[in-house]
Amino acid sequence: MFTSLITTNKSSILLISLSLAAGLAFTVVNIWNKQKYSRLQNVESSSAEIQQQLNIREQILDQIAQGKNPGSLNLIFAELKEVKLIGANLNNMYLSGVELSGANLTDTQLIGVDLSEADLTNAKLVNAQLAGANLNSIKLTGANLNNANLRDTNLSTAQLNDACLIGTQLVSANLSDAKLVNANLTNAQLHKAYLWNANLKNAQLVNADLTCAYMNNIKLNNANLTRAILKDAQLCTAKLKDANLASVNLNNAQLDNANLKNANLNEACLEKANLENSNLENANLSNADLRQANLTNTNLLNAKVINARFGQNIGISEDVKLYLKREGAIFENE
C-alpha cells in the first residue's frame, strides 16, 4: 500500500510537471509570436511612413513644377531633406517641425510662414523672403541666408551658429536668446532688432546697422564690429571683451555695466554714451570721441587714450582726468 501511494504521488508530480512545462512552452511561443508580429507591424509602419514622406515630396515637387502653391498639403514634420525648392511660393504655410536640412530654398517666398522648430541646418536661403515668419527655435546652423529678408521675423532661441547672413535684412527681428556664434552678419541690417541674451561670440558684424537695437546682456566677446552703427543701442551688461569696435558709432548708446576689457575702440564714437560702471580696462580708446559720456565708476585702468577726446563728462574725478591727460587724452573746452 505504501509503495502504491508513492507511485501515485510520482505520477501526479510528473503530470503536474508536464502541464507546467507545456504551459510555459505555450507562453514562450505566444510571447515570441507577439514580438514577431510587433516587429512586423513596426517594419510595415516604418515602410508606410517612408512611402508617405516620398509621396508628399513628389506631390510638392509636382505642384511647384506646375507653378502652384502646395498650401493644401499637410507638411507638418514632413521629411524634405536636401529638397530643391528654388523660387517656390510657400507663403503663409504651416511648416512647424519640417525637415529641410541641406535644402535649396534660394529665392523662395516664405512670407508669414511658420517654421518653428524646423530643421534647416546647412540649408540655402539666399534672397529668400521670410518677412513676418515664425522661426522660433528653428535650426539654421551653417545655413546661407545672404541677402534674405527676415524683417519682423521671430527668431527667438534660434540656432544660427556658423550661419552666413551677409547683407541680410533683420530689421525689428526678434533674436532674443538666439545662438549666432561665428555667424557672419557683415552689412546686415539690424535696426531695432531684439538681441537680448543672444550669443554672438566671434561673430562678424562689420558695417552692420544696429541702430536702436535692444542688446542687453548680449555676448559679443571677440566679435568684429568694425564700422558698425550702434547709435542709441541698448547694451546694458553686454559682454564685449576683446571685441573689435574700431570706428564704431556708439553715439548715445547705453553701455552701463558692460564689459569692454581689452576691446579695440580706436576712432570709435562714444559721444554721450552711458559707460557707468563699465569695464574699459586695457581697452584701446586712441582717437576715440568720449565727449559728454557718462564715466561714473568707469574702469579706465591701463586704457590707451592717446588723442582720445573728452569734455563735459559726467562722473569723472579730477584725479582720473589728470591721469588721462598724462596718458595723452585731450580735454576740450578746458
Side-chain angles (χ1 to χ4, degrees):
M1 181 178 176
F2 182 71
T3 305
S4 176
L5 182 61
I6 293 172
T7 304
T8 302
N9 288 339
K10 284 183 177 179
S11 298
S12 299
I13 292 169
L14 180 61
L15 285 172
I16 292 169
S17 298
L18 289 171
S19 297
L20 289 172
L24 180 61
F26 176 79
T27 303
V28 170
V29 170
N30 191 38
I31 292 171
W32 183 83
N33 284 332
K34 284 183 178 179
Q35 289 178 341
K36 181 180 179 181
Y37 179 70
S38 178
R39 284 196 297 270
L40 287 171
Q41 279 190 318
N42 289 337
V43 169
E44 290 174 1
S45 177
S46 179
S47 298
E49 288 178 6
I50 292 170
Q51 188 58 51
Q52 184 182 21
Q53 293 292 348
L54 289 173
N55 290 339
I56 291 172
R57 192 185 187 99
E58 289 175 6
Q59 290 177 57
I60 291 169
L61 295 175
D62 181 59
Q63 290 200 20
I64 289 171
Q66 297 178 45
K68 298 178 181 178
N69 185 338
S72 61
L73 299 175
N74 182 8
L75 303 180
I76 303 173
F77 296 103
E79 197 282 301
L80 298 167
K81 193 174 182 179
E82 298 181 354
V83 71
K84 291 184 179 179
L85 297 168
I86 299 170
N89 182 358
L90 302 173
N91 288 342
N92 301 308
M93 286 190 66
Y94 187 72
L95 301 168
S96 181
V98 70
E99 167 66 70
L100 281 162
S101 59
N104 190 341
L105 295 153
T106 299
D107 297 316
T108 300
Q109 296 291 317
L110 292 154
I111 297 171
V113 74
D114 189 334
L115 277 163
S116 56
E117 299 182 26
D119 189 349
L120 281 89
T121 302
N122 296 319
K124 190 173 182 180
L125 293 116
V126 177
N127 299 318
Q129 298 297 311
L130 289 139
N134 180 12
L135 308 178
N136 179 53
S137 300
I138 193 172
K139 295 177 183 176
L140 283 161
T141 303
N144 186 344
L145 291 134
N146 288 347
N147 299 310
N149 181 5
L150 290 127
R151 295 175 68 98
D152 302 306
T153 55
N154 178 13
L155 282 153
S156 178
T157 68
Q159 295 181 34
L160 286 147
N161 293 339
D162 301 302
C164 202
L165 297 116
I166 298 172
T168 301
Q169 290 283 336
L170 286 155
V171 176
S172 299
N174 181 5
L175 287 148
S176 56
D177 294 296
K179 293 179 175 62
L180 293 118
V181 177
N182 299 315
N184 190 343
L185 291 118
T186 299
N187 296 318
Q189 299 297 308
L190 291 140
H191 184 84
K192 289 188 176 180
Y194 296 82
L195 288 148
W196 292 311
N197 301 313
N199 189 349
L200 286 94
K201 184 179 178 180
N202 297 317
Q204 294 293 319
L205 288 141
V206 178
N207 295 319
D209 186 352
L210 290 142
T211 304
C212 297
Y214 303 93
M215 305 166 72
N216 293 343
N217 205 38
I218 192 171
K219 299 174 184 66
L220 282 161
N221 295 331
N222 297 294
N224 186 356
L225 292 107
T226 303
R227 296 184 302 279
I229 302 171
L230 292 111
K231 185 179 179 182
D232 298 310
Q234 300 287 328
L235 287 149
C236 303
T237 67
K239 281 74 174 174
L240 287 148
K241 186 179 177 182
D242 299 304
N244 188 354
L245 294 150
S247 302
V248 73
N249 185 349
L250 283 158
N251 188 297
N252 203 45
Q254 300 300 308
L255 285 152
D256 44 304
N257 298 291
N259 187 358
L260 290 142
K261 186 177 180 179
N262 302 321
N264 179 15
L265 287 147
N266 182 45
E267 297 185 348
C269 176
L270 291 150
E271 190 175 1
K272 299 180 182 179
N274 181 6
L275 290 156
E276 186 174 358
N277 298 315
S278 64
N279 184 6
L280 284 158
E281 183 180 352
N282 294 317
N284 182 4
L285 290 161
S286 300
N287 305 299
D289 186 352
L290 291 103
R291 290 174 298 170
Q292 300 182 61
N294 185 347
L295 299 173
T296 304
N297 296 321
T298 302
N299 182 4
L300 290 159
L301 184 66
N302 297 320
K304 299 177 182 66
V305 292
I306 297 173
N307 294 322
R309 298 163 67 190
F310 292 83
Q312 301 180 52
N313 298 106
I314 300 170
I316 189 169
S317 67
E318 290 300 319
D319 288 340
V320 172
K321 190 183 295 186
L322 184 61
Y323 164 75
L324 293 172
K325 284 181 179 179
R326 285 201 301 262
E327 295 297 316
I330 300 168
F331 279 80
E332 298 185 358
N333 302 319
E334 292 189 14

